[in-house]
Amino acid sequence: ETGVTQTPRHLVMGMTNKKSLKCEQHLGHNAMYWYKQSAKKPLELMFVYNFKEQTENNSVPSRFSPECPNSSHLFLHLHTLQPEDSALYLCASSQQAQRDDEQYFGPGTRLTVT
Amino acid sequence: AQKITQTQPGMFVQEKEAVTLDCTYDTSDQSYGLFWYKQPSSGEMIFLIYQGSYDEQNATEGRYSLNFQKARKSANLVISASQLGDSAMYFCAMRGYSTLTFGKGTMLLVSP
């Protein structure tokens, strides 16, 4: 595997379910990110991890819970979601969380909450 | 606060022609970076080009060039010799002292 991978690619869940999204980067990067992309809205940053430490939480509701066990893996745990949480969730990584570090994105998980 | 504005929801271009995608930004940061990403229908965001605010020359990467006009706070992407595979959403993004902020994107359609 190369680059940034995300599983699953598609997920349908009910509002009472608990599920997790997984992201893995094979680039030797130290920073990882979760983004939400809703229809007709700009990409929204959710969380930033730099060297496994969370450095940014962009006012994300607590029903989204990130976990970063090491620099290569990032999870997003989901519980009691709302239909408006349906979106494409993108994971990204960069060398560090610095100004000129380009971010490399995974293919995303298309989430539908019913 | 940072803001990115992409005023073109959609653009059409014929194959082999050049196209310019507009991007303006607003920031109070003295030092910042500007990025362009491409998102095909598959969903993956692909990094295209980077311009630092203190770079004196416009960035170029193959068929992509960034027309950076600092005084006007614009960072337009120029794609030369368009190809059918260039059809995608294109996002302008900026990073200052805070995290990466994206614009709403421009859908580019390349016709034969």
Side-chain angles (χ1 to χ4, degrees), chain A residues 5-106:
Chain A
T5 58
Q6 289 186 245
T7 54
R9 294 295 308 276
H10 300 272
L11 178 62
V12 179
M13 60 185 289
M15 290 189 285
T16 58
N17 292 158
K18 289 185 179 181
K19 297 286 185 183
S20 295
L21 309 185
K22 179 183 176 182
C23 175
E24 184 173 1
Q25 58 94 3
H26 309 268
L27 300 168
H29 289 164
N30 297 298
M32 296 188 77
Y33 311 78
W34 278 117
Y35 288 89
K36 175 183 178 183
Q37 187 177 27
S38 306
K40 299 181 181 179
K41 291 178 71 175
L43 214 61
E44 301 171 70
L45 178 69
M46 300 175 73
F47 301 103
V48 180
Y49 279 83
N50 200 30
F51 293 93
K52 301 189 298 179
E53 298 296 321
Q54 187 181 124
T55 56
E56 199 155 335
N57 176 339
N58 202 21
S59 303
V60 180
S62 60
R63 57 186 184 270
F64 295 91
S65 174
E67 178 190 0
C68 188
N70 55 60
S71 293
S72 299
H73 294 86
L74 185 64
F75 296 89
L76 188 62
H77 304 299
L78 316 170
H79 63 97
T80 58
L81 293 191
Q82 305 298 311
E84 60 265 28
D85 296 323
S86 298
L88 179 68
Y89 289 84
L90 290 162
C91 172
S93 71
S94 66
Q95 188 61 45
Q96 295 185 46
Q98 290 182 345
R99 189 173 309 120
D100 56 354
D101 285 340
E102 66 262 28
Q103 295 180 17
Y104 293 83
F105 285 79

Side-chain angles (χ1 to χ4, degrees), chain B residues 23-37:
Chain B
C23 172
T24 58
Y25 60 91
D26 193 18
T27 181
S28 56
D29 294 337
Q30 295 300 308
S31 180
Y32 49 88
L34 295 155
F35 301 80
W36 276 92
Y37 285 85

Side-chain angles (χ1 to χ4, degrees), chain B residues 6-85:
Chain B
Q6 293 181 255
T7 57
Q8 306 154 314
M11 289 285 286
F12 294 89
V13 67
Q14 278 201 311
E15 201 176 5
K16 299 180 185 177
E17 290 185 349
V19 63
T20 298
L21 305 183
D22 295 340
C23 172
T24 58
Y25 60 91
D26 193 18
T27 181
S28 56
D29 294 337
Q30 295 300 308
S31 180
Y32 49 88
L34 295 155
F35 301 80
W36 276 92
Y37 285 85
K38 170 185 177 182
Q39 187 178 40
S41 56
S42 58
E44 185 174 354
M45 297 280 278
I46 302 167
F47 166 74
L48 295 178
I49 195 167
Y50 166 80
Q51 176 86 42
S53 60
Y54 287 106
D55 293 341
E56 294 186 353
Q57 291 191 325
N58 286 344
T60 59
E61 288 286 348
R63 295 185 298 111
Y64 304 107
S65 60
L66 201 152
N67 185 1
F68 180 47
Q69 297 187 44
K70 193 171 182 178
R72 300 176 66 177
K73 292 190 175 180
S74 74
N76 298 338
L77 177 70
V78 181
I79 305 175
S80 62
S82 299
Q83 301 173 356
L84 295 178

